[in-house]
Amino acid sequence: MNLWIRGPLGPDAAARTTVAGCKTVLAVVPTMTAGTRLLDVLPLVETDFRTQTLFTVPHTTDVWHGVEEFVRAQGGLVVPWHQAVRHEWDLVVAASHRHLPELRGPILLLPHGAGAAMSRKYSRKANGAAIPTTGLDRELLTYRGRVLPAALALPHEGERDLLARRCPEALDRAVVTGDLCLDRMRASLPSRHRYRQALGIGDDQLLVTVSSTWSADSVLGRLPSLCRRLLDEFAHVALVLHPQAWAVHGRRQIAAWLSRSGLRLIPPDEGWRAAVIASDWVLGDHGSTTAYAAAIGRPVTLATWPGGNLREGSIAEVIGKHAPRLRLGRPLAAQRDTAVRRTTALRSAALPAITSRPDGAAAALRAVMYDLLGIPEPAQAPAVPAVPCA
């Protein structure tokens, strides 16, 4: 039986609501990765008494493990998917291309990582893919000749040029907004001491963080014993693992594989940004976390690299040109020193590769959201809060 939530929507909603006349905002969460990105953006509108934010997890032919639990843990009102696709929303906010044709209402489409354009040349979702993809392609942004997003948020001006080549019919929907995730990390840098305290790291101690995306060419996929090697030489090691790796393998299995006294296993939903900010050295791969670490001035060494499967001009390619590579047969401390020496040059390359509107994303995104809602923005400037410890 398909149950419906008796919430602030539907023909008899007026008989139930306490705050009446709200514009409805739907956050679409097919993956935890998309959900964490939306949690940065939703506060731009959900504090307004003129709006009501609701969540939905698409339930179609397949789902990702743990997403429903993650969404319900946020405390928001969760609308069943079969009900969400029947309602006309005032604004739909998404950070994934999945399921957009089924939704009714103006869609704001956001990236779910660093950059709207993919760093990988070929999609991991298409086994044996032979045609390169960018994330800004016509087959992702249109459906039966209709452009899906009413507004397409691009962190970087250069992505407009890519969109013009790959899906020119969506160009008039594109808005260069910058990157709110990066802006929050930059705003959080003065809180570095607090993040280190929360992790139990003293002022005179060194924190090494391993950042691994998902897929077989990630750090965890290629070097599953790296954390153990690091713990033989460093007292404090943290691991930031892509949420999709947790979803595919399950929390119990991830914890079992990585159980080792002293390893700080950062939860997949929140805490990774605080850990990166608190770190003294980040060993990463081609994933977004590594790029963000470089952009905020953390010393970065590339532990693994996918080689020919990177799109030319991508954020990952920029990081790969400037960051040193890990040499497992050489002393680790000396390699950290090399990363420290290259920090300034790497940051100078990484920051403009990720965003062309540093510290401007909150204002730009809020303006787009209120324009789609059809109501005036609040008078006060939007806040850019520091990221939480966990």
Side-chain angles (χ1 to χ4, degrees), residues 31-32 57 63-72 246-247 251:
T31 65
M32 189 182 298
V57 177
V63 295
W64 292 99
H65 170 72
V67 178
E68 183 90 25
E69 294 83 355
F70 161 74
V71 173
R72 293 194 179 281
W246 293 82
R251 288 180 180 249

Side-chain angles (χ1 to χ4, degrees), residues 256-321:
W257 278 335
L258 299 167
S259 58
R260 173 75 185 243
S261 178
L263 177 64
R264 291 163 170 82
L265 189 54
I266 306 301
D269 49 349
E270 189 55 87
W272 69 269
R273 292 180 288 194
V276 168
I277 293 167
S279 298
D280 299 288
W281 188 25
V282 175
L283 290 90
D285 51 25
H286 58 287
S288 294
T289 300
T290 307
Y292 285 131
I296 63 168
R298 297 296 89 207
V300 169
T301 296
L302 296 173
T304 62
W305 205 241
N309 193 18
L310 286 182
R311 185 178 57 81
E312 184 178 354
S314 67
I315 294 171
E317 188 194 45
V318 171
I319 303 301
K321 286 179 178 178

Side-chain angles (χ1 to χ4, degrees), residues 95-223:
S96 169
H97 300 94
R98 292 170 176 261
H99 312 295
L100 298 186
E102 301 170 68
L103 295 161
R104 305 178 185 179
I107 297 171
L108 168 60
L109 181 59
L110 303 152
H112 64 262
M118 293 170 50
S119 283
R120 295 173 64 94
K121 185 183 299 184
Y122 300 104
S123 172
R124 61 165 63 87
K125 300 170 186 175
N127 292 330
I131 300 175
T133 186
T134 69
L136 294 174
D137 306 312
R138 179 176 288 112
E139 59 265 31
L140 295 175
L141 298 176
T142 67
Y143 179 72
R144 294 182 177 177
R146 174 171 63 94
V147 177
L148 292 169
L152 176 62
L154 303 178
H156 198 281
E157 189 70 44
E159 291 169 332
R160 288 179 59 90
D161 298 331
L162 181 61
L163 181 66
R165 297 194 301 272
R166 305 292 296 201
C167 187
E169 55 268 45
L171 196 57
D172 64 343
R173 313 290 178 90
V175 183
V176 180
T177 61
D179 187 311
L180 185 53
C181 177
L182 179 56
D183 289 355
R184 290 194 67 190
M185 294 181 75
R186 284 163 55 88
S188 304
L189 291 174
S191 301
R192 183 169 186 263
H193 179 72
R194 177 167 64 88
Y195 301 139
R196 289 174 63 83
Q197 281 187 318
L199 289 167
I201 309 298
D203 293 339
D204 59 343
Q205 295 176 313
L206 189 74
L207 174 61
V208 180
T209 295
V210 177
S211 164
S212 177
T213 189
W214 65 303
S215 73
D217 55 9
S218 66
V219 174
L220 184 63
R222 290 190 179 180
L223 300 174

Side-chain angles (χ1 to χ4, degrees), residues 2 28 30 36 90 117 123 126 133 152 154 195-196 202 221 231 295 326 337:
N2 287 335
V28 186
T36 55
D90 295 303
S123 172
T133 186
L152 176 62
L154 303 178
Y195 301 139
R196 289 174 63 83
L231 282 164
L326 181 67
D337 293 340

